[in-house]
Amino acid sequence: MGLTGNYWRSMPGLFSSRFRQLALLSCLDNARMAARFPLTAIHMVRDCMTGKAATPFPRRLGLFLTNRCNFACPMCAVQDARDEGLARGGDLPFDLVEKVLGECSAHQPVVDFIGGEPLLYSRLSDAVKLASQRNVLSVVTTNGLKLRDHAAALVQAELPILQISLDGWDEPSQAARGHVRGSFERLCDGVRAVKDARGSRPFPVIRILTAITRVNHAHLDRIQCVIAALGVPYWGISNYFYLNRNAHERHRTFALMNGLSGSIPGLGGLQAAVAAHAIPDDVYLTSEQVRALKCSLRRVRELNRSLRLGIAYAWSIDLEAYYSTRQASRSSVCDLPYTRLDIHTDGHMAVCVSGKRIGEIQRDAIADVWRGGVISGYRKMYERTRPMPMCFRCCGLSQTIKFEDRVRR
């Protein structure tokens, strides 16, 4: 698909974004993953080397198995979409899971089993097993609350990658995430259960994911110690994904003008077309909190000289700018519209966090939708208007975001 000159000029940033995917795992685990999913590995290396934008088939699919969740996280980026899905029943029919994985088999994308909370999906282990049989690299991302109950089944189903969200270092700090008592110990017990069930086998590879929040920003090294004590080798840290009031209001207008259809928790009861945490403030972290965050990150790096975790974080991001009212510049690069497709519990296909609907899995082939006119028009709109207001602090820009020189509220 043709791309504008503006997008091609952003290729160095896109190259950097995709190259980071190769650095998430150790050389040994990358080699094991490549041996098991050779076409996936070839695509990843080729995309990094060529900088090709629109891939022939999505390189990553987000498959929403359920809208149900046993946490109530304030930063949940799919809360409204999840609530809407619950009104329709909440779960993706398994025959649609079979259809998606069947279409993916020849292309070997990475398929993320997500939600809601995927461990609440009654046939999760069947989905993982089917993905393994179809040579599809599947990833389960969970809050870990029910992980112990599913540990053996996920290992037996040959799950390649398991990601667990951990935002606290003890019971009170972790409870601040999902507002569930006992969640810290249950998560830790779940990780231990997976490791016990895995034994000497290489899979699943386990990663811990942490979002920087107002609760944990000054204590990331404490979380690091918990991860090390659990014997988990990989840790992903992300800056907070949010919209301030100004970006929220601007995107309401933008969404109406461009026909976008996602939803977020509104400010004052308003709705907008994007998935993010809309905060009523100008910034999520104050200047003082940013200084504490930087000290915390510095301690993480110093401590990691001995712990030697594989840490994935955008160390080069200007944190003062990130937690300010400055907007992303046009030099910021996001490859989500060119590499990722989401399939929701009612079967509709959507692109990016905008929620732009581009097809229905019940009637449409993924490849046809991915190469079709609707998504082509979306990409052209993105190239013309990026960064869109919803991209204010989008997770798709988390590794590459750059900022305008002037401050705009």
Side-chain angles (χ1 to χ4, degrees), residues 139-345:
V139 181
V140 170
T141 302
T142 173
N143 61 36
L145 193 63
K146 297 178 68 65
L147 183 56
R148 182 175 181 176
D149 298 336
H150 294 265
L154 292 176
V155 172
Q156 292 168 6
E158 300 182 315
L159 174 67
I161 299 177
L162 174 66
Q163 300 186 142
I164 305 107
S165 297
L166 175 65
D167 287 356
W169 62 92
D170 59 9
E171 183 57 45
S173 58
Q174 177 64 7
R177 175 189 173 96
H179 302 288
V180 176
R181 293 181 179 180
S183 57
F184 179 76
E185 283 302 326
R186 290 175 67 176
L187 182 155
C188 292
D189 286 345
V191 172
R192 297 185 190 104
V194 172
K195 293 187 65 182
D196 288 344
R198 184 182 64 184
S200 60
R201 287 172 285 189
F203 301 111
V205 172
I206 304 174
R207 297 183 71 226
I208 298 293
L209 304 180
T210 298
I212 293 170
T213 68
R214 288 169 175 163
V215 174
N216 68 21
H217 68 279
H219 306 286
L220 296 176
D221 50 320
R222 295 188 181 186
I223 299 176
Q224 181 183 16
C225 290
V226 172
I227 296 169
L230 289 171
V232 175
Y234 303 113
W235 185 23
I237 311 173
S238 60
N239 289 303
Y240 203 76
F241 175 23
Y242 71 99
L243 291 181
N244 65 5
R245 178 178 291 273
N246 178 265
H248 180 274
E249 294 298 328
R250 287 190 298 112
H251 196 75
R252 289 178 66 240
T253 301
F254 183 89
L256 291 173
M257 292 177 60
N258 292 278
L260 302 182
S261 56
S263 63
I264 63 169
L267 294 172
L270 300 174
Q271 295 295 319
V274 58
H277 184 189
I279 64 172
D281 313 301
D282 288 332
V283 297
Y284 179 71
L285 295 182
T286 66
S287 297
E288 182 178 354
Q289 289 172 323
V290 170
R291 288 193 293 271
L293 169 60
K294 295 176 75 172
C295 291
S296 176
L297 288 168
R298 185 162 53 248
R299 293 195 302 272
V300 164
R301 301 189 81 162
E302 292 172 352
L303 185 57
N304 211 49
R305 294 173 184 171
S306 58
L307 296 182
R308 304 183 68 81
L309 300 179
I311 301 177
Y313 177 65
W315 298 102
S316 62
I317 293 294
D318 182 342
L319 290 174
E320 284 87 357
Y322 188 94
Y323 294 102
S324 75
T325 58
R326 289 168 61 182
Q327 295 182 27
S329 70
R330 285 193 60 84
S331 60
S332 301
V333 179
C334 176
D335 63 353
L336 292 183
Y338 303 90
T339 62
R340 181 183 172 95
L341 179 70
D342 287 337
I343 300 176
H344 291 263
T345 55

Side-chain angles (χ1 to χ4, degrees), residues 37 109-113 127-128 131-132 136-140 158-161:
F37 305 100
V110 176
V111 173
D112 292 289
F113 290 131
V128 172
S132 299
V136 174
L137 198 169
S138 62
V139 181
V140 170
E158 300 182 315
L159 174 67
I161 299 177

Side-chain angles (χ1 to χ4, degrees), residues 57 61-64 92-104 341-350 357-369:
F57 192 87
L61 274 87
L63 195 56
F64 287 80
L92 180 69
F94 194 74
D95 64 316
L96 295 184
V97 176
E98 294 177 309
K99 182 177 187 293
V100 169
L101 294 177
E103 293 186 32
C104 289
L341 179 70
D342 287 337
I343 300 176
H344 291 263
T345 55
D346 64 349
H348 83 264
M349 303 184 211
R357 297 189 179 210
I358 60 173
E360 304 287 338
I361 191 61
Q362 294 93 329
R363 68 166 188 261
D364 302 321
I366 294 173
D368 292 342
V369 169

